[in-house]
Amino acid sequence: MQKPKNIIEKIWEQHVVHHEDGKPDLLYIDLHLVHEVTSPQAFEGLRMSSRKVRRPDRTFATMDHNVPTRERHVIKDLISKTQMDTLKNNCEEFGVSLADIHHPDNGIVHVIGPELGLTQPGKTIVCGDSHTSTHGAFGALAFGIGTSEVEHVLATQTLWQSKPKTLNVKVNGKLGLGVTAKDLILAIIAKYGVNFGTGYVIEFSGEAIRALSMEERMTVCNMSIEAGARAGLITPDETTFAYLKGRRHVPKDDEFEEAVAKWKFLASDEDAAYDFTLEIAAEEIEPQVTWGTNPGMGLPVSGSVPDPSLLEKPSEREEIKRALDYMGLEAGQPITSIKIDHVFIGSCTNSRLSDLRKAAKVVHGHKVHSSVTAIVVPGSMSIKLAAEKEGLDTVFTEAGFEWRDAGCSMCLAMNDDVIPTGERCASTSNRNFEGRQGNGARTHLVSPEMAAAAAVAGHFVDVRKFAAQEVL
Amino acid sequence: MEPFQIHKGLVYPLNRSNVDTDQIIPKQFLKRIERQGFGQFLFYHWRFDDNGHPRKDFSLNEEKYNGASILLGGENFGCGSSREHAPWAVQDFGFKVIIAPSYADIFKNNCGKNGILAIQVSEEKVHELMKRAENDQYHLTVDLAKQLVFDDTGFEVSFDIPAYSKEMLLNGLDEIGVTLNYEDKISQYELSVGA
């Protein structure tokens, strides 16, 4: 009998073009997603060596990082404009499909891949962006690469990769009411740190993971990289197949049924081994808020900011002191006492239709606190349209939120959505690094529901106390 | 890519863990379409205040580290984004080697593609080197072929590197050029899976 395999090993083996002992494998890449920031130097490299894009049909580009969310066609920043124009010219020259800012499919690369059905189970997917791990939600092996590798994939449709170690993160039980996929992944990273996944690909499994919708699974896989893992994935199941059915790039009719039959074989074999397994009890997780300058510096909303003087290791004491200093927080301060100036609902982590619906439900009938500026940035233009059809935009704008166009926006503030120095933001994005949302800006990562509640209260609150049960 | 064989240089110690790519190169500098010229933006907000003046409290601005070419870092160095602008900035500033107890995967990978040698040694050894480099101008020699880091006073530590990465660095090989030699196998693979 064959040795049982996990899903990561199965996908890997299906994509090995060349294997030699003691060397990385040459791995075939099924789908290459491209955006304006990490690709110009790669296309330039091709041009200088007179090379072509080997498979333009497996390459798909969008503009997202620089795109303005107000008057999106007017790009005032000339360097941003050059970068976007460069992508357009490169796509034309090399024959790559592009959803530019005028295109109805335009949006954040990790939002539109799944939306268009480009992302499918069993595929190898890369993009010059670390949050490519998002696509793992579909049971794809998806990871971020640098620009040299972008050029390598453009030229050869392959990458030299060493087989990763495998980590099974098993989440048992059920998440409580008002506790979201975002809280789940934040709590895991807070518990095990920002590098427990380094060198691994994570498979998320267990009852709590199976119960998640596709959009929630994307939130979890999206932040695998914040645990150090280049990729995180979830075995595809009926939830996955139902999401995929009918999407533009997904096989139709009989071919769809054939594809599903194939996808079902991807599931990890019963006795498959992993290099490491972690088990987590979903019931123990509360809504989370990060207080520091990396995603591992997080706490349940009922907690208090840590006191560095209680720590033994000098390097840890120093790190926490630095973080508190940057964040302008006092040791021992309750999380719920932290007042905020901004709320950002958006990013490849939490900008999908269900995220917006949940935030809107919490906001409905309330007003944004007078000291808070709040914006909603849908992940794609099609999500924006769908949300408007449901009237979500009205719920948000009546409450005092600004309703914007799609893009990466304030997640990394490469466009003009920037938090001023010293101001504080409750953000549904994925990174709270120093300066991430603007030089000197202070970021707290939360779920869309928690962001919505904080917008109304003006400080962090436990959304389970803030909102009625039927809203959660 | 420039081949990397032996390098002797001044060590700059950056005693912080989880140094992320947003610190190495802040996002406002990612808009250029060239590979060159990112060194001036390295650790920008740590090196410069809001008016663009060098911060006195950031050690890289100290005169004794002028010309440093070996960057000594803490745990999980280069975590965060996949931006290759980070190693480009490190390299353009003048660093050829990084020594740290651990790295984020994508960053380390990106270093290799640019001829920067990212060496992993134990936390104890890094700690020892930190102390030496914080106190004085301290030089190390890195010999890739022998996989050794040493100084003139008898300190020596060996390091591991996958044979493939070592060969690419030693010879400064163009990886795409190498891969294109496998064109037949790639085409065969595509045929076999109907891709």
Side-chain angles (χ1 to χ4, degrees):
Chain A
M1 217 180 88
Q2 254 201 337
K3 183 175 162 273
K5 287 173 195 158
N6 63 46
I7 179 173
I8 301 158
E9 295 164 323
K10 289 185 187 181
I11 300 174
W12 190 276
E13 284 170 16
Q14 287 174 10
H15 288 85
V16 175
V17 171
H18 176 76
H19 171 83
E20 235 173 281
D21 285 342
K23 274 179 81 174
D25 289 337
L26 188 61
L27 206 66
Y28 195 76
I29 301 302
D30 293 318
L31 175 64
H32 186 190
L33 301 168
V34 172
H35 65 83
E36 78 274 21
V37 180
T38 55
S39 67
Q41 296 86 351
F43 282 111
E44 181 61 17
L46 291 185
R47 211 174 280 123
M48 280 170 24
S49 317
S50 308
R51 289 170 178 150
K52 292 185 297 192
V53 173
R54 193 172 192 285
R55 293 298 298 263
D57 58 323
R58 291 180 170 270
T59 314
F60 189 91
T62 185
M63 297 172 175
D64 53 9
H65 284 61
N66 280 281
V67 179
T69 57
R70 267 189 297 225
E71 298 183 284
R72 67 199 320 256
H73 307 308
V74 189
I75 300 148
K76 293 180 203 128
D77 181 337
L78 288 181
I79 318 177
S80 287
K81 188 170 183 320
T82 304
Q83 201 165 56
M84 290 159 75
D85 290 345
T86 304
L87 179 63
K88 189 163 188 289
N89 295 338
N90 284 333
C91 287
E92 277 167 14
E93 182 182 339
F94 290 95
V96 171
S97 309
L98 167 70
D100 72 4
I101 46 171
H102 304 282
H103 199 287
D105 291 340
N106 182 258
I108 305 176
V109 64
H110 309 309
V111 173
I112 65 173
E115 220 171 60
L116 299 172
L118 289 162
T119 304
Q120 292 169 20
K123 278 192 178 181
T124 46
I125 302 175
V126 297
C127 172
D129 190 285
S130 60
H131 292 111
T132 307
S133 58
T134 312
H135 307 265
F138 291 80
L141 183 65
F143 53 92
I145 56 177
T147 299
S148 294
E149 288 187 322
V150 169
E151 185 180 339
H152 193 280
V153 178
L154 289 173
T156 69
Q157 205 59 36
T158 62
L159 275 179
W160 293 98
Q161 293 287 306
S162 298
K163 207 169 175 181
K165 291 183 284 181
T166 58
L167 169 61
N168 183 10
V169 173
K170 195 168 175 212
V171 190
N172 300 314
K174 291 188 174 71
L175 289 172
L177 195 66
V179 182
T180 66
K182 181 65 163 287
D183 300 309
L184 170 62
I185 189 67
L186 283 174
I188 293 173
I189 298 167
K191 183 165 180 185
Y192 296 101
V194 287
N195 56 1
F196 79 89
T198 304
Y200 291 94
V201 170
I202 301 177
E203 179 182 354
F204 294 97
S205 65
E207 188 190 351
I209 297 292
R210 294 263 74 86
L212 298 176
S213 71
M214 283 320 295
E215 300 195 343
E216 291 169 327
R217 292 178 189 187
M218 285 188 245
T219 300
V220 171
C221 291
N222 171 276
M223 289 192 71
S224 306
I225 184 66
E226 312 314 331
R230 286 179 80 179
L233 53 69
I234 294 171
T235 289
D237 58 12
E238 292 307 324
T239 306
T240 322
F241 310 142
Y243 177 99
L244 287 168
K245 196 170 185 177
R247 294 194 181 257
R248 196 187 307 163
H249 292 275
V250 173
K252 307 263 173 321
D253 308 319
D254 288 354
E255 283 180 28
F256 179 74
E257 297 310 323
E258 279 168 37
V260 168
K262 230 169 60 191
W263 292 336
K264 284 183 175 168
F265 277 109
L266 292 168
S268 294
D269 297 331
E270 204 152 308
D271 302 319
Y274 296 82
D275 293 293
F276 204 76
T277 298
L278 287 176
E279 296 211 33
I280 287 147
E283 285 86 357
E284 288 172 12
I285 294 167
E286 282 185 50
Q288 303 282 309
V289 180
T290 64
W291 53 267
T293 51
N294 73 48
M297 294 174 165
L299 279 171
V301 61
S302 59
S304 298
V305 174
D307 184 347
S309 69
L310 300 176
L311 287 166
E312 269 175 37
K313 214 175 153 192
S315 61
E316 282 177 14
R317 215 159 43 218
E318 202 43 48
E319 198 185 0
I320 292 189
K321 244 176 81 186
R322 268 181 55 80
L324 291 186
D325 225 33
Y326 180 86
M327 294 298 289
L329 296 173
E330 300 284 335
Q333 180 178 356
I335 293 286
T336 49
S337 72
I338 302 171
K339 291 196 176 117
I340 54 163
D341 310 297
H342 299 266
V343 167
F344 168 58
I345 297 179
S347 88
C348 59
T349 316
N350 279 128
S351 63
R352 298 180 180 84
L353 189 57
S354 61
D355 296 316
L356 305 188
R357 280 180 186 151
K358 290 174 192 163
K361 265 178 126 179
V362 173
V363 162
H364 191 79
H366 293 284
K367 291 278 180 209
V368 169
H369 192 272
S370 59
S371 64
V372 175
T373 309
I375 68 170
V376 183
V377 181
S380 69
M381 290 311 278
S382 74
I383 290 175
K384 189 185 186 212
L385 272 180
E388 286 171 356
K389 264 192 194 150
E390 294 181 15
L392 300 183
D393 57 325
T394 318
V395 174
F396 282 118
T397 50
E398 279 182 355
F401 276 84
E402 291 176 41
W403 178 250
R404 301 284 188 88
D405 284 333
C408 298
S409 178
M410 210 177 257
C411 173
L412 86 168
M414 271 190 82
N415 68 355
D416 35 18
D417 302 332
V418 180
I419 305 278
T421 304
E423 296 191 14
R424 194 179 294 288
C425 181
S427 178
T428 67
S429 55
N430 42 56
R431 287 193 178 130
N432 49 346
F433 296 150
E434 285 181 30
R436 174 82 178 177
Q437 296 190 293
N439 180 28
R442 294 160 172 166
T443 304
H444 298 269
L445 304 176
V446 287
S447 72
E449 290 90 323
M450 285 286 287
V456 175
H459 57 88
F460 291 111
V461 285
D462 188 337
V463 68
R464 297 171 302 179
K465 292 178 185 157
F466 176 87
Q469 277 213 353
E470 57 273 18
V471 170
L472 297 173
Chain B
M1 192 167 91
E2 292 278 314
F4 186 108
Q5 278 144 0
I6 294 183
H7 175 76
K8 183 173 183 183
L10 177 65
V11 180
Y12 166 63
L14 180 61
N15 198 359
R16 296 179 184 187
S17 50
N18 301 314
V19 170
D20 61 73
T21 51
D22 279 77
Q23 305 321 315
I24 298 173
I25 182 142
K27 74 272 171 181
Q28 64 269 35
F29 307 119
L30 305 182
K31 299 181 184 182
R32 301 176 148 226
I33 55 169
E34 304 85 18
R35 264 178 194 257
Q36 291 80 27
F38 288 99
Q40 54 187 312
F41 310 124
L42 179 73
F43 300 127
Y44 190 82
H45 293 302
W46 286 349
R47 276 167 65 209
F48 302 104
D49 65 18
D50 296 349
N51 302 315
H53 301 309
R55 290 183 195 269
K56 287 206 173 73
D57 60 354
F58 188 59
S59 57
L60 187 54
N61 290 331
E62 289 173 30
E63 212 181 308
K64 70 174 174 192
Y65 296 124
N66 275 355
S69 60
I70 299 178
L71 175 58
L72 200 54
E75 199 192 343
N76 199 27
F77 194 88
C79 60
S81 120
S82 66
R83 58 186 72 163
E84 201 160 309
H85 311 68
W88 293 339
V90 166
Q91 187 170 49
D92 192 52
F93 190 85
F95 291 109
K96 298 188 182 325
V97 177
I98 309 177
I99 303 176
S102 61
Y103 296 88
D105 287 336
I106 306 179
F107 177 80
K108 188 174 183 185
N109 204 19
N110 283 339
C111 283
K113 307 288 177 197
N114 288 280
I116 303 170
L117 179 57
I119 297 173
Q120 190 167 358
V121 302
S122 71
E123 213 174 331
E124 292 73 41
K125 292 285 179 198
V126 169
H127 189 67
E128 195 178 330
L129 292 172
M130 283 279 178
K131 275 200 292 198
R132 293 177 192 221
E134 277 168 358
N135 293 336
D136 226 329
Q137 279 208 329
Y138 180 61
H139 292 81
L140 278 171
T141 304
V142 177
D143 186 329
L144 176 57
K146 292 186 180 146
Q147 297 180 214
L148 273 184
V149 178
F150 55 92
D151 68 9
D152 299 335
T153 67
F155 174 91
E156 188 181 286
V157 62
S158 63
F159 61 89
D160 287 333
I161 181 170
Y164 174 82
S165 311
K166 183 175 173 177
E167 190 193 327
M168 297 301 288
L169 279 165
L170 278 174
N171 300 306
L173 293 175
D174 163 25
E175 198 178 38
I176 297 176
V178 172
T179 309
L180 289 174
N181 294 329
Y182 293 84
E183 171 57 34
D184 287 353
K185 291 203 83 166
I186 301 172
S187 299
Q188 255 173 37
Y189 174 88
E190 285 175 328
L191 266 177
S192 72
V193 298

